[in-house]
Amino acid sequence: MAARRLILVLLVLLVLSSIVAALIPVERARNGDSTSSTTSTPSTAAEVPPPTGELVQRRVDAGAANPARIKLPLGSELQLTVSGDKRPDQVEIPVLGELENIDPDFPARFDLLLVEPGSFDVRLVEARRVIARIEVDGKSPG
């Protein structure tokens, strides 16, 4: 009997919350802009160059003694796989804001479009060491 009452109360709450959600007005842009914030403007599209490089697939061993060096031209896509060390950890590329878990049985995988020149460290978080360095040349190919 108590279970039936509980189900009835939950159903009433569900109906009431659905009605309230349907009656709340949708907030529009306050400045009167007719364009949506989800549409991209031409200036935004011009800032990020289209990928002009090549697809590069690399594998890095997290247990290697020396950091791997990966040199790429600007605009390349890098599919990086970091195979596990002896214990679980996290692989981080701090400048690019990338973080993936790694385990001896499950490698970390990154798919990166490199549109800015520079040098980017790939490091193990717990072990506090650099395992690779991605170097992106400032000149796009072609």
Side-chain angles (χ1 to χ4, degrees), residues 80-129:
L80 179 65
T81 303
V82 181
S83 59
D85 205 357
K86 296 177 182 98
R87 59 185 198 152
D89 204 332
Q90 290 182 317
V91 179
E92 178 182 37
I93 308 173
V95 175
L96 301 177
E98 297 287 332
L99 181 70
E100 291 289 331
N101 293 323
I102 186 172
D103 189 83
D105 297 327
F106 298 101
R109 296 188 194 315
F110 298 93
D111 193 359
L112 307 168
L113 181 59
L114 303 166
V115 294
E116 293 184 23
S119 180
F120 311 105
D121 287 342
V122 180
R123 59 187 208 91
L124 288 175
V125 176
E126 294 292 320
R128 296 182 178 156
R129 65 183 179 91

Side-chain angles (χ1 to χ4, degrees), residues 3-142:
R4 288 182 187 166
R5 288 182 185 161
L6 180 62
I7 291 174
L8 183 61
V9 168
L10 289 175
L11 285 174
V12 169
L13 286 175
L14 177 66
V15 170
L16 285 175
S17 64
S18 298
I19 292 171
V20 170
L23 294 177
I24 294 176
V26 177
E27 189 173 327
R28 303 285 180 206
R30 296 179 192 262
N31 60 3
D33 254 351
S34 62
T35 59
S36 171
S37 63
T38 58
T39 59
S40 62
T41 60
S43 63
T44 307
E47 291 174 9
V48 178
T52 56
E54 56 204 45
L55 173 62
V56 179
Q57 296 177 337
R58 293 289 162 85
R59 187 170 196 87
V60 172
D61 181 14
N66 295 324
R69 188 172 163 200
I70 304 169
K71 291 186 77 169
L72 301 167
L74 187 67
S76 295
E77 179 181 357
L78 174 63
Q79 290 181 345
L80 179 65
T81 303
V82 181
S83 59
D85 205 357
K86 296 177 182 98
R87 59 185 198 152
D89 204 332
Q90 290 182 317
V91 179
E92 178 182 37
I93 308 173
V95 175
L96 301 177
E98 297 287 332
L99 181 70
E100 291 289 331
N101 293 323
I102 186 172
D103 189 83
D105 297 327
F106 298 101
R109 296 188 194 315
F110 298 93
D111 193 359
L112 307 168
L113 181 59
L114 303 166
V115 294
E116 293 184 23
S119 180
F120 311 105
D121 287 342
V122 180
R123 59 187 208 91
L124 288 175
V125 176
E126 294 292 320
R128 296 182 178 156
R129 65 183 179 91
V130 175
I131 58 172
R133 182 165 288 120
I134 303 168
E135 297 175 0
V136 181
D137 188 12
K139 301 172 190 165
S140 60

